[in-house]
Amino acid sequence: MDILKQSGIAVLSLFIAFVSNAAARLLQQPSPASQSAPPAAKSAADLHVEYASLQSAALGKELKFAVQFPPSYQSDPKRRYPVLYFLHGMFGNEGEFLRRGVAAAVSKLREEGAIGEFIIVAPAGENSFYLNAKNGVRYEDAIIQDLIPYVEKTYRVIGTRDARAIQGISMGGWGALLLAFKHPEMFSTVTTHSAALFTELPHPSGDDRRSQFMLRLIGNIFGTPPDEEFFKTVNPVYIADANASAIKKSGIKIYFDCGEQDRYGFQESNKAFDERLTKLGIAHEFHLFPGNHGWEYMISVADHSYTFLWKNFKTDAKGTAQVRSRVGQ
């Protein structure tokens, strides 16, 4: 039996614990007004982060997002930049990228000369897994059809596949791989940290409250009751199989890592995913690093993913290119 399937039940159980614990921590957090920032913390202005929104036709409502601009964005008005789309994890929003320290980590890497200048856009994805859900909520379309064209019309990005990448953490890792594997012609690179990968839906019976909770969480996403075939069409693990030829032909660069002590067990499903891609002949880079799950782990290994991203941007003309985007046309 495929290793991913063997670990599916264990991963789902741990994933349920993950979302339960995350919800509890969220409820226990003090309000922003009662929290004091660490002395060395930098503000949104210091890190060139702004907040914006667009009216998403796919969602039928406002889609909020954060943007981190490179330091030269204001001083060099003719310059265009590569762009990275960053997808947060469960119970997050567009503010996580700044609040959790990722924006500061990116700035530090840039100051150290490890990476160059590019724009980062972090949309609010709710608990959507960034897919077009069975219940009609269309986050895949919101990003591909609404957000990316809006960003490339509104901000000075190069607007080509070679200068466009996507990244995600935990649930956002699922989303980044989903979007990259379904649309490999749109992205030069995809990277993930602690990707929440699982291959089987829960099948609760009797007093199996954990599986029942999981069904309540994902039921509207994958159908009520969950539709097994639909689940596979929006699962990056299965999309890798179905779209392997296009993924390989595109030459998209793939990087993912996970903590060896991931408390939700995703190191096992990530290892199995590495083996699956290898069997499919899809080139990729995978690492297990010391660490647990989440933001602290991501920041501890961010130099690996961001240098990978920067290396794979085609940046020969990124300083002055005046390119019109054809995304969504």
Side-chain angles (χ1 to χ4, degrees), residues 24-36 99:
R25 288 196 303 271
L26 189 67
L27 291 172
Q28 292 168 0
Q29 288 178 349
S31 65
S34 67
Q35 297 182 36
S36 58
R99 184 164 55 250

Side-chain angles (χ1 to χ4, degrees), residues 155-167:
Y155 304 109
R156 296 198 317 275
V157 301
I158 294 174
T160 65
R161 173 189 181 272
D162 287 342
R164 187 187 304 118
I166 191 163
Q167 179 181 53

Side-chain angles (χ1 to χ4, degrees), residues 41 58 80 107 109 116 121 131 135 169 173 195 207 211 227 245 249 251 280 289 319 329:
R80 290 182 178 269
S107 293
L109 288 169
V121 178
L131 53 85
N135 64 1
I169 179 173
D207 294 329
S211 292
D227 182 326
S245 178
K249 183 179 179 181
L280 289 168
F289 293 118
Q329 296 181 8

Side-chain angles (χ1 to χ4, degrees), residues 3 6 13 35 40 74 81 101 108 115 124 151 161 171 175 180 201-202 223 236 241 261 280 309 322-323 326:
I3 296 175
Q6 289 180 326
S13 178
Q35 297 182 36
Q74 296 299 330
Y81 301 84
K108 185 173 184 289
I115 59 175
V151 166
R161 173 189 181 272
M171 180 194 75
L201 287 165
D241 289 341
Q261 294 80 37
L280 289 168
L309 284 163
Q322 303 291 324
V323 183
R326 298 189 63 82

Side-chain angles (χ1 to χ4, degrees), residues 21 26 85 100 103 114 144 196-197 262 282 285 311:
N21 293 338
L26 189 67
Y85 293 88
R100 300 290 189 165
I144 299 296
L197 300 177
D262 188 296
I282 297 174
E285 183 174 327
K311 178 181 68 176

